[in-house]
Amino acid sequence: MRRALTVAFLAAVLSGCSVEAPEYRPTPTPVASSTAIAKPDVLPLTYSVTPLGVPPNAVAKTGIFFSNPNAFVLDWFMTVRFRSADGLSVTDERIGNAGVPPDRGDPKFQNWFFPIPPGDSWTVVRFATAFSKSDVQEFKVARSLVTIGEVDGVRIASKACAGDPAVGTIGCDLAIETGTTVPGFAKLHLVVVVRTASVERPVLSLMQWRPELATTGKPWLSLAAGDSMKIQMHDSYPTPSVPWEYEVIAHTYQYSSQ
């Protein structure tokens, strides 16, 4: 009997002295009188998805518009459910700038995805089929794990987009200039949004300048203070048959390394 009491006493003492790993301790609930309010690390952002109609002999385009209230760029990814044209085949693909293999030679990763900058931005997704927001299975953002930031001072000096009768599509001539020297490992992301010239202003087409496909073979933006660079872009969709207008969205990112 005495031995049983001793064992029970030791068990109670040991359980009372057990230590919980710090990473698994529950977050203490703040007392009612506390005035400190913890702010979220990343403020929630909004996004919309715009699938575009596919003309003959063209790759389907889907535009994703982001509105980021944070003062810093975000890594992001989403899992998208792509459906075949006949609706019989369904595949889930993960896209975004986080966790995507860098092998651009693989057609599966033909899209170059940039981080989400503060404010408004667009990205263009090219696949065999377009998708809508209801096809997005998950969407996550987080502070970047590497040093990525926007480069100030880079701006669009001039822009002109018009229908090119020689090829039957829209052509754009853009000039980029900077008042400061662009740091190393910087990339320029350009998106031209074509809309109808109406009150509703639906998106008709999207063009994206992918630096890794530049004829120079140099994906990095290299500009000294006062330098400028000219860029020509052509749409793969026919020139709209209705009155249209355009806007150019440009962001320059500085990466810590390749």
Side-chain angles (χ1 to χ4, degrees):
M1 178 66 179
R2 177 177 298 177
R3 182 177 180 182
L5 290 174
T6 302
V7 171
F9 174 77
L10 289 175
V13 171
L14 290 175
S15 63
C17 296
S18 63
V19 178
E20 188 178 9
E23 59 269 28
Y24 294 108
R25 290 176 182 170
T27 303
T29 303
V31 296
S33 60
S34 175
T35 58
I37 300 177
K39 295 183 178 180
D41 180 56
V42 177
L43 297 174
L45 68 160
T46 59
Y47 74 98
S48 60
V49 178
T50 304
L52 301 178
V54 186
N57 304 319
V59 176
K61 293 181 183 179
T62 301
I64 307 176
F65 173 79
F66 299 106
S67 184
N68 178 11
N70 298 279
F72 45 84
V73 297
L74 297 171
D75 279 343
W76 67 280
F77 78 84
M78 60 174 57
T79 302
V80 179
R81 181 151 294 170
F82 288 95
R83 305 175 189 276
S84 61
D86 56 12
L88 300 178
S89 177
V90 176
T91 58
D92 287 348
E93 302 282 356
R94 180 171 168 172
I95 65 174
N97 80 309
V100 175
D103 182 9
R104 306 303 169 195
D106 187 341
K108 182 179 178 182
F109 300 102
Q110 63 178 307
N111 300 279
W112 178 270
F113 296 106
F114 288 84
I116 303 173
D120 296 338
S121 64
W122 282 88
T123 193
V124 182
V125 183
R126 293 163 51 90
F127 268 100
T129 58
F131 64 91
S132 61
K133 194 169 184 178
S134 61
D135 295 316
V136 178
Q137 306 301 299
E138 64 175 338
F139 173 65
K140 293 184 178 181
V141 297
R143 283 180 177 267
S144 177
L145 297 178
V146 297
T147 304
I148 300 177
E150 281 204 270
V151 179
D152 296 328
V154 179
R155 70 180 191 90
I156 301 172
S158 64
K159 56 185 178 180
C161 294
D164 188 341
V167 292
T169 64
I170 297 175
C172 295
D173 291 311
L174 309 173
I176 308 298
E177 68 177 16
T178 176
T180 58
T181 299
V182 177
F185 301 112
K187 278 199 172 186
L188 174 67
H189 184 206
L190 284 173
V191 174
V192 178
V193 185
V194 179
R195 301 177 182 270
T196 60
S198 64
V199 177
E200 296 81 9
R201 301 180 71 240
V203 177
L204 297 174
S205 184
L206 292 157
M207 286 181 277
Q208 181 169 242
W209 190 73
R210 297 171 57 194
E212 73 275 18
L213 296 182
T215 55
T216 59
K218 297 179 180 179
W220 306 108
L221 180 64
S222 179
L223 289 177
D227 281 355
S228 63
M229 178 178 64
K230 294 183 178 180
I231 297 175
Q232 290 186 331
M233 303 172 65
H234 266 93
D235 199 1
S236 60
Y237 284 23
T239 304
S241 58
V242 297
W244 54 275
E245 58 190 20
Y246 70 94
E247 62 178 316
V248 182
I249 298 177
H251 295 283
T252 305
Y253 303 90
Q254 177 189 3
Y255 288 69
S256 58
S257 62
Q258 170 75 34

